[in-house]
Amino acid sequence: MKRSCAHLLASFLVCLFLTQCSSFPGFGGTRASRLESLGYEPVPLGMVSGDARFSAVFKVNDAPMRFLIDSGANSTDIDKKLASSVGLRQSDGVRVITRGALGREISSGRGYGSLQIGSIVARRFPFTIAPSTGRKTSTSSYAGQVGLDALSATGALIDIPAERMWIPGPRSERARKPFSPGLGARSGLGQKVLTLGTAGRLPHLILEGRLEGRLVTWVVDTGAEVSVMAAESFEKFNIPSRATNSRMIDASGDRVALRHARLHNLEFGEVRIAVFDLSVAPLGEVRRYFRDGAGRPVDGILGMDFLSTGSALLDSGSGLIYIGLPER
């Protein structure tokens, strides 16, 4: 008899429509030297052709594979065929239900093997083994995605402008305190620091903001190329939008048309964005499962466009985003 694991939401989006933000703090600084002084070591990130999201080559059972870096996923998934090719066996009697952002269920398995990120090796790491569907999905160009479980467990930091992941080395405080969740707030890493919440009992990272004086909450998702506001929230504001030829594709391969809109004076704490272009799409399934600290459904997803223009450093383990490179 199979036992069902807690429902997981897989990585959200692959969008082809690119947006732009403005009025973030200025850039330039010495973030890398500060992280190196704290004992962190760099792992190079890259982008595959036609994709604005980060990926990196990690090792699964000593075999190198390219994974999407996806803070919008709580699990680390791997394609079933690739898992089998490196001896990663699916555990009997365990079924994991994942969902695409548009709601389709995907029945996956669970398997344990080694995962190496830079110099850090987890010998018995729990992978979600996803079926090989043959469809184009948000992760079909990769072996799978590295989610919040691996990012938080390793203490990894995602440095967007440097195109690097930073992991704690043997000189770091994390090496002396291996169960600490993340680096925590430190000076010299950014101009502003934003604190993230979580989606209730789910680990997904939620950032609160204000638009026209109203609370708006967002899932921070490096697995999304662009930021998307839920149509269910967008319609509450008297803001025009226009149709586009772009589509959103989720982890199951389902697609939905996107609209374009421009927001003005969007605020995140002390960070104010004068003009923020984004996409609009129905996100009923995301809103069903992801709620903010007050129990409200989230209003949207902040993707790589927001993080790139903000020159962000994401510390998922500590629930922090540094915005803007530190001044020299």
Side-chain angles (χ1 to χ4, degrees):
M1 183 177 188
K2 292 185 177 181
R3 64 181 177 89
S4 178
C5 297
H7 279 212
L8 309 174
L9 282 176
S11 59
F12 288 131
L13 314 172
V14 178
C15 304
L16 300 180
F17 184 81
L18 300 181
T19 67
Q20 295 183 3
C21 312
S22 66
S23 296
F24 277 102
F27 304 152
T30 57
R31 180 180 285 167
S33 60
R34 175 63 171 144
L35 289 170
E36 288 169 352
S37 73
L38 292 169
Y40 277 70
E41 301 175 347
V43 175
L45 303 177
M47 296 179 182
V48 302
S49 178
D51 196 337
R53 302 170 299 170
F54 281 146
S55 60
V57 175
F58 305 132
K59 290 184 177 180
V60 178
N61 287 354
D62 295 324
M65 297 182 180
R66 181 167 290 278
F67 284 83
L68 177 69
I69 309 300
D70 191 356
S71 69
N74 63 352
S75 64
T76 294
D77 295 9
I78 184 171
D79 177 83
K80 185 174 183 178
K81 290 181 179 178
L82 291 175
S84 178
S85 71
V86 296
L88 188 59
R89 305 301 179 191
Q90 187 167 313
S91 299
D92 294 334
V94 179
R95 184 169 66 100
V96 180
I97 301 299
T98 62
R99 294 177 184 270
L102 302 178
R104 183 196 295 264
E105 288 190 358
I106 306 169
S107 182
S108 302
R110 174 61 53 81
Y112 294 86
S114 68
L115 173 65
Q116 181 174 351
I117 298 179
S119 60
I120 295 178
V121 182
R123 296 295 179 187
R124 185 172 166 77
F125 186 83
F127 291 89
T128 296
I129 300 179
S132 305
T133 64
R135 305 178 71 193
K136 181 175 176 56
T137 71
S138 60
T139 58
S140 56
S141 298
Y142 306 92
Q145 92 252 342
V146 165
L148 285 171
D149 54 353
L151 297 177
S152 297
T154 59
L157 312 174
I158 309 302
D159 190 349
I160 301 296
E163 299 187 0
R164 294 175 181 175
M165 174 186 288
W166 294 91
I167 60 172
R171 296 187 298 106
S172 70
E173 182 178 323
R174 178 70 179 259
R176 300 189 296 274
K177 300 178 181 178
F179 298 107
S180 59
L183 177 61
R186 300 296 177 100
S187 63
L189 296 178
Q191 295 185 27
K192 301 292 182 182
V193 184
L194 302 177
T195 301
L196 303 168
T198 55
R201 291 179 295 177
L202 298 172
H204 300 81
L205 303 171
I206 305 295
L207 180 62
E208 292 188 354
R210 291 274 172 184
L211 178 63
E212 297 182 0
R214 299 185 190 179
L215 174 67
V216 284
T217 55
W218 310 77
V219 179
V220 177
D221 187 3
T222 61
E225 288 196 76
V226 299
S227 299
V228 181
M229 191 170 190
E232 298 86 344
S233 297
F234 181 80
E235 65 186 14
K236 299 175 183 178
F237 297 90
N238 187 26
I239 300 174
S241 66
R242 61 175 173 82
T244 74
N245 293 324
S246 300
R247 298 290 184 271
M248 179 180 83
I249 180 170
D250 72 1
S252 68
D254 289 342
R255 300 165 185 250
V256 67
L258 295 173
R259 298 186 65 82
H260 170 266
R262 173 167 289 180
L263 307 184
H264 293 274
N265 300 323
L266 180 61
E267 298 178 356
F268 297 99
E270 296 181 351
V271 176
R272 181 184 176 206
I273 307 173
V275 178
F276 186 35
D277 288 348
L278 83 172
S279 296
V280 179
L283 296 177
E285 197 69 16
V286 173
R287 287 167 57 81
R288 176 184 174 189
Y289 284 96
F290 293 168
R291 295 177 179 268
D292 61 24
R296 295 175 58 259
V298 298
D299 298 295
I301 297 164
L302 292 176
M304 284 293 290
D305 53 350
F306 171 84
L307 297 169
S308 296
T309 309
S311 200
L313 176 73
L314 175 61
D315 180 355
S316 61
S318 301
L320 299 173
I321 300 180
Y322 296 86
I323 296 294
L325 287 172
E327 296 180 353
R328 296 183 185 278

